[in-house]
Amino acid sequence: MGKSKFREYKRIFYSRNKVMYGLAIFTTAADGLMQVYVAVLIKKLLDVAIGGTMEGLWELVLTSLGFILAEVLIWLGKREFKPRFVKRAVTAYRNKAYGDITDRGISDFGRENTGNYVSALTNDVTTIENSYLVGQFEIVSGLVMAPAAFALMVWYSPRMTLAVVLLCALPVIATLAVGEKMAEWEKKVSEKNAAFMAMVKDLLNGFGVIKSFQAQQETAALYQEKNSYLEQIKCKRRQTEDMIGIISITAGFITQIGVFCYGAYLGVRGQIAASIVIAFVQMMNYVINPINTLPKLWANRKAAVKLIEKMASYGENVRGQETYEPFAGMKEGGDGIFLKHVGFSYEGDKEILKDINLHFEAGKSYAIVGASGSGKSTLLNLVMGSYPDYEGSVTLDGKELKGIDPDSIFDTMSVIQQNVFIFDDTIKRNICMFKEFDAGKLDAAIEKAGLSTLMEEKGEGYACGENGSHLSGGEKQRIAIARSLLRQVSVLLVDEATSALDAETSDNVTNSILDIQGVTRLVVTHKLDEKALRRFDEIIVMKNGKVTEQGDFDTLMGNGEYFASLYRVSRE
């Protein structure tokens, strides 16, 4: 993972937030110094009480009142500045993280389980907020108080200060050593939590399958196993955190008792004033408390840094965008889409596409047919730019696909898949994909997609439900068609869009796609319906990753080869 991306993520906390951060740090540091000054006031008040005057007492009372007023103002400043800084920092970080995730290429995005992304945007952000952002102010407070108190301790009694240093050295070293484990456990918790969320997502999405196979008991056992393992890892993290706390408290206890004893010894021998001993004990707390908390805070901070690094790895660019060029879209009369000697395999595995040579002319419709596993869907995804590591050449109007900006490809093409994803929102917002469009364009897209009746019956504000649970399969597919028409893409890719629909709905959806004019349509289908196939300009037949036949329906049937066999089998 590149350091530059990690630094970019760290900078996002402070970008356009520097003033608020500076004020929050200032008030935090000032509060730390003011707390140390309490020990000075206590010493002076004791000195006045033992051998001072009324004039000196009134002077200290006024000083104390001024101190209280200043501290209240500082507290009010902390209340205002620190929460505002944290709010802006977390908002910016989460927005950037989401943006980087959604900017990934489809193939790169698919390499990670979506549970990892969900965890990175939820649980990890909470940890980063508490341990990295909020925690840094506690670290600053400790780093200000401890040196200031230590300097006063040296000023008042170097001998007692040396005793504190000796008493604290070993416990601090032990605490830091244990603190190294915290980062490891925090990373493990993040990873296992992401895996657990992914499993929960799978189980809930597969609820219907679980019920139909009566697999509730088995999936419950799986859930319990994974849940138990996650909690075991979290328990180990808490135990490590508690061990740091135990060592820190022990360090403070040893130091405090030791300093009390040594101060009493010096007092008995008349080598130190009672007011200094009391003030020293107070200042010692401002050294001990940071000693108790700083190792734990620092360990938590390092653990949060690991989570930032993980998020930064998701934001890494897979291909350098400096080599990309924009693409205005397929033009009528242009070269269309050319595939020349194209081959492709997934990460060096068995070759999926083998020496593909095809020409898709602009504005025409193509049916891509073949048995399951023949490479039909892979071909569509490759044309969409999802798999840049292909062999051979793929050109759009003469421009090599690898060199085109991926965003330009998505502006040019749209895909309709078998399982159309519908957001839990209104019909209109699902069609428009949360964008604003001219009312005339929207109405035209709705009409061409065959959604007019649905819109009249239910209205554009109708709630679709989670993943379109309130809609039929045909209605979902028509929404997908309307989305593509509204974007006015020049290439429409359709991957088994009608496989789960009944015959009548399937015919209607297919006709809606074929009726679209001026758009290049590549339609993968396993339904070999003669009426529909006759409407395509050309049928592409695939077998074992190769194109074996091309032509219209009558030509392919007349050849009596593989396509004819597939068609006859589908009729039986």
Side-chain angles (χ1 to χ4, degrees):
M1 191 272 294
K3 292 292 184 183
S4 60
K5 195 68 181 180
F6 174 63
R7 288 193 294 269
E8 183 181 335
Y9 265 86
K10 289 179 70 176
R11 284 196 299 268
I12 198 69
F13 295 127
Y14 311 100
S15 178
R16 300 181 182 178
N17 205 11
K18 293 183 179 66
V19 173
M20 203 60 63
Y21 175 66
L23 291 170
I25 288 290
F26 172 78
T27 50
T28 299
D31 181 41
L33 291 174
M34 294 294 280
Q35 289 188 52
V36 173
Y37 187 68
V38 170
V40 177
L41 278 178
I42 289 173
K43 178 188 177 300
K44 289 182 177 181
L45 286 167
L46 285 172
D47 286 338
V48 169
I50 293 170
T53 63
M54 287 300 297
E55 183 180 347
L57 177 60
W58 282 114
E59 184 178 333
L60 277 176
V61 168
L62 292 175
T63 301
S64 299
L65 291 174
F67 166 81
I68 293 171
L69 177 61
E71 184 69 309
V72 168
L73 291 175
I74 289 170
W75 287 341
L76 290 173
K78 280 180 64 179
R79 176 187 174 276
E80 183 69 20
F81 305 134
K82 188 171 77 171
R84 285 180 178 270
F85 162 75
V86 172
K87 181 198 73 172
R88 293 180 183 179
V90 171
T91 301
Y93 176 85
R94 190 180 269 123
N95 288 345
K96 177 171 177 53
Y98 178 80
D100 278 352
I101 288 173
T102 54
D103 279 345
R104 302 191 81 189
I106 290 178
S107 60
D108 301 316
F109 182 89
R111 290 193 184 106
E112 291 286 342
N113 193 301
T114 53
N116 293 340
Y117 298 129
V118 173
S119 179
L121 293 172
T122 53
N123 299 321
D124 289 2
V125 173
T126 300
T127 299
I128 291 167
E129 177 182 350
N130 294 328
S131 299
Y132 189 85
L133 294 173
V134 176
Q136 70 181 315
F137 294 105
E138 297 179 53
I139 291 172
V140 167
S141 180
L143 291 176
V144 169
M145 283 195 298
F150 186 79
L152 280 174
M153 288 164 64
V154 171
W155 175 262
Y156 286 135
S157 176
R159 295 171 67 182
M160 288 187 66
T161 304
L162 179 60
V164 171
V165 171
L166 293 175
L167 288 166
C168 289
L170 288 177
V172 168
I173 293 170
T175 303
L176 290 173
V178 177
E180 290 293 326
K181 296 291 184 181
M182 267 302 294
E184 298 175 16
W185 283 116
E186 194 66 57
K187 184 179 180 182
K188 286 182 181 179
V189 168
S190 175
E191 291 171 353
K192 299 307 177 185
N193 193 68
F196 181 74
M197 293 181 71
M199 181 204 66
V200 171
K201 178 172 172 283
D202 273 349
L203 293 178
L204 294 179
N205 286 340
F207 179 79
V209 178
I210 291 170
K211 293 294 288 185
S212 64
F213 280 88
Q214 290 293 288
Q216 297 96 312
Q217 188 173 352
E218 289 76 13
T219 54
L222 176 63
Y223 179 89
Q224 290 163 12
E225 177 188 350
K226 298 295 184 182
N227 185 35
S228 176
Y229 185 60
L230 172 62
E231 291 305 319
Q232 182 181 351
I233 297 295
K234 289 165 69 176
C235 178
K236 292 288 186 181
R237 181 193 62 182
R238 282 191 289 267
Q239 287 176 336
T240 303
E241 190 175 18
D242 290 343
M243 179 58 69
I244 294 173
I246 290 169
I247 294 173
S248 298
I249 292 170
T250 302
F253 183 74
I254 291 171
T255 304
Q256 218 166 21
I257 295 298
V259 169
F260 265 119
C261 292
Y262 190 60
Y265 167 75
L266 293 178
V268 168
R269 298 188 61 181
Q271 295 177 358
I272 193 170
S275 62
I276 292 180
V277 174
I278 300 300
F280 205 95
V281 171
Q282 182 69 29
M283 287 183 292
M284 187 182 62
N285 289 331
Y286 298 136
V287 175
I288 291 174
N289 287 339
I291 288 173
N292 288 342
T293 59
L294 281 175
K296 179 179 175 181
L297 290 170
W298 190 252
N300 289 340
R301 181 178 173 86
K302 289 176 68 176
V305 167
K306 292 287 186 183
L307 300 182
I308 298 172
E309 289 176 348
K310 187 179 79 170
M311 186 61 246
S313 70
Y314 295 150
E316 286 285 283
N317 292 323
V318 179
R319 292 188 289 169
Q321 292 192 3
E322 66 276 3
T323 62
Y324 294 160
E325 59 177 308
F327 183 62
M330 304 280 289
K331 302 179 181 66
E332 288 192 34
D335 292 339
I337 303 172
F338 267 102
L339 289 84
K340 298 178 181 178
H341 304 293
V342 171
F344 175 73
S345 62
Y346 294 105
E347 299 181 354
D349 291 341
K350 180 182 176 182
E351 197 172 21
I352 305 300
L353 300 179
K354 308 168 187 176
D355 196 30
I356 302 293
N357 292 278
L358 289 171
H359 179 209
F360 299 113
E361 296 183 45
K364 290 191 174 183
S365 60
Y366 298 85
I368 303 174
V369 303
S372 177
S374 59
K376 306 185 298 297
S377 295
T378 301
L379 177 63
L380 281 197
N381 287 327
L382 190 145
V383 171
M384 190 74 177
S386 300
Y387 306 131
D389 301 325
Y390 58 84
E391 297 176 356
S393 173
V394 180
T395 58
L396 309 181
D397 273 356
K399 292 188 176 183
E400 184 62 41
L401 184 65
K402 292 179 181 178
I404 298 175
D405 185 341
D407 288 339
S408 296
I409 297 174
F410 291 120
D411 286 338
T412 301
M413 301 182 184
S414 187
V415 60
I416 301 174
Q417 297 174 326
Q418 177 181 344
N419 297 316
V420 178
F421 189 84
I422 302 295
F423 294 91
D424 189 5
D425 212 307
T426 66
I427 294 178
K428 179 181 178 181
R429 284 167 67 84
N430 266 286
I431 294 172
C432 298
M433 286 302 295
F434 311 103
K435 297 181 179 180
E436 293 295 329
F437 287 93
D438 177 76
K441 290 182 179 179
L442 177 59
D443 290 341
I446 289 171
E447 184 178 352
K448 289 181 180 179
L451 279 172
S452 298
T453 302
L454 176 66
M455 297 295 278
E456 289 171 4
E457 291 177 353
K458 298 183 177 179
E460 63 180 28
Y462 180 74
C464 298
E466 184 179 0
N467 198 17
S469 58
H470 300 163
L471 302 173
S472 69
E475 290 167 343
K476 292 181 184 180
Q477 292 294 354
R478 286 194 172 88
I479 286 177
I481 295 171
R483 286 173 179 170
S484 301
L485 292 173
L486 195 56
R487 292 182 58 213
Q488 297 181 318
V489 294
S490 52
V491 179
L492 181 60
L493 311 177
V494 183
D495 190 2
E496 301 281 14
T498 63
S499 61
L501 305 179
D502 61 76
E504 182 180 356
T505 305
S506 175
D507 289 344
N508 292 335
V509 170
T510 300
N511 288 330
S512 296
I513 293 169
L514 291 171
D515 287 341
I516 301 171
Q517 299 298 313
V519 175
T520 307
R521 287 142 292 164
L522 279 58
V523 180
V524 168
T525 179
H526 76 282
K527 290 187 176 181
L528 303 185
D529 178 71
E530 179 179 352
K531 183 179 178 182
L533 290 173
R534 285 184 177 280
R535 294 196 60 191
F536 285 95
D537 293 303
E538 189 171 36
I539 301 170
I540 311 294
V541 185
M542 297 189 68
K543 182 180 181 182
N544 298 327
K546 294 183 178 181
V547 174
T548 58
E549 297 176 79
Q550 292 176 249
D552 59 28
F553 181 82
D554 289 331
T555 300
L556 295 178
M557 289 299 294
N559 291 340
E561 297 181 1
Y562 182 58
F563 173 79
S565 299
L566 285 176
Y567 179 76
R568 283 194 292 270
V569 169
S570 70
R571 298 297 93 191
E572 294 177 356

